[in-house]
Amino acid sequence: MSELAIIIVSYNARSYLEACLSSLHSAQPRYSHDIVIVDNGSVDGSVEMVRSNWPSVQVIEMGANLGYSKANNRGIRSTESELILLLNSDTVVPPGSIDGLIRELQLHNDVAVVGPRLVDGNGNPELSFGSMINPWTELRQKLKLSLLRKRVPLLSGWVEGNTSRRHYPDWVSGACLLMRRVDADAAALLDERFFLYAEDVDLCARIRLLNRRILFAPNIEVVHHGGRSGLNNKPNTHRAYRQSQLAFYRKYHPGWERLLRLYLRIKRDLPRGV
């Protein structure tokens, strides 16, 4: 049995998936590991590319886009390793990064989840951690992200400082998230009500309820190109975001969910059938 399972969910992101797998194979983790690609119904030749170039990589075909959470859970259940790494297909993993994440987890028995410092292709840091989602933290996070995209100097400096600080946030990004299987199982894996978005926040919340901690490790970097699968179909991606947002508020803030639903109806942004 391998020590680590690397689960990569992919949807029409062939070039990014190829770059991700190349990075994993050019400088492999020193821990024994399996790589599992869970394909959500891609039509861009992703599956054929993986099977041709990396025959040792396990491929699970979902047959359709059944969502990020369901696909990850399928991949996790197909493996038996002690450690699980959720990794986006649009990431590039530098040499030693996975080994570093594993060392961080092994050094702290009270830590269940560890996430690295995510940077874009130019080396600019992402806000890949945060406080538990509620109306105020979500508004604050969106404002920060908006200003960060505009490269507002003051905020860029703040993000640089905060993403260089080792701390224990409420959640870290599922784009690259290492966890112990025992904790993932105790939390019942990812909640499949979240088709896309907020599933990492929810998973970390349920793990924290078990008196376990989430660690952000700024000494380890992973490149994240960010949301490339979603660019293929922006309307569906936005609908999936709204559905997950409503599901999250229904689960954790039911009073606010009713107000959010009313707000979206007024904006004509309430997904049909929700």
Side-chain angles (χ1 to χ4, degrees), residues 109-112 183 205-214:
N109 291 331
D110 61 335
V111 170
D183 292 306
R206 286 182 286 117
I207 286 175
R208 285 188 294 105
L209 286 174
L210 302 171
N211 294 317
R212 307 286 285 150
R213 295 216 282 178
I214 314 298

Side-chain angles (χ1 to χ4, degrees), residues 127 140-152 155:
L127 279 173
R140 189 167 65 240
Q141 190 87 347
K142 285 181 178 178
L143 179 60
K144 289 175 186 174
L145 290 172
S146 175
L147 295 175
L148 190 59
R149 289 190 200 100
K150 295 175 183 176
R151 298 292 169 210
V152 175
L155 184 66

Side-chain angles (χ1 to χ4, degrees), residues 1-173:
M1 182 178 70
S2 297
E3 297 167 277
L4 170 70
I6 302 173
I7 312 297
I8 304 173
V9 174
S10 184
Y11 175 62
N12 288 331
R14 175 176 172 162
S15 61
Y16 290 98
L17 177 61
E18 190 169 12
C20 178
L21 288 172
S22 293
S23 72
L24 291 172
H25 282 81
S26 62
Q28 297 191 27
R30 69 177 184 86
Y31 297 87
S32 61
H33 62 282
D34 297 313
I35 301 175
V36 180
I37 306 298
V38 187
D39 186 80
N40 256 338
S42 297
V43 294
D44 63 350
S46 295
V47 169
E48 294 79 7
M49 178 272 295
V50 174
R51 286 181 171 150
S52 174
N53 296 348
W54 292 284
S56 63
V57 171
Q58 180 185 352
V59 177
I60 298 173
E61 294 186 70
M62 299 294 279
N65 189 0
L66 302 181
Y68 183 76
S69 295
K70 183 170 288 189
N72 266 309
N73 285 346
R74 176 78 176 273
I76 291 169
R77 291 182 179 121
S78 74
T79 62
E80 297 180 346
S81 59
E82 177 188 352
L83 302 175
I84 300 163
L85 177 68
L86 304 185
L87 188 66
N88 273 20
S89 58
D90 57 1
T91 57
V92 173
V93 183
S97 295
I98 293 177
D99 292 337
L101 288 172
I102 293 174
R103 282 195 299 272
E104 290 286 356
L105 206 56
Q106 292 176 337
L107 282 171
H108 305 90
N109 291 331
D110 61 335
V111 170
V113 170
V114 59
R117 186 178 196 250
L118 295 181
V119 298
D120 66 18
N122 296 316
N124 300 307
E126 292 185 2
L127 279 173
S128 57
F129 57 83
S131 301
M132 182 61 174
I133 290 178
N134 61 46
W136 318 119
T137 59
E138 187 176 19
L139 181 62
R140 189 167 65 240
Q141 190 87 347
K142 285 181 178 178
L143 179 60
K144 289 175 186 174
L145 290 172
S146 175
L147 295 175
L148 190 59
R149 289 190 200 100
K150 295 175 183 176
R151 298 292 169 210
V152 175
L154 187 61
L155 184 66
S156 295
W158 180 88
V159 170
E160 182 68 38
N162 273 269
T163 56
S164 301
R165 181 174 60 88
R166 181 188 187 83
H167 64 287
Y168 298 91
D170 287 343
W171 59 268
V172 292
S173 171

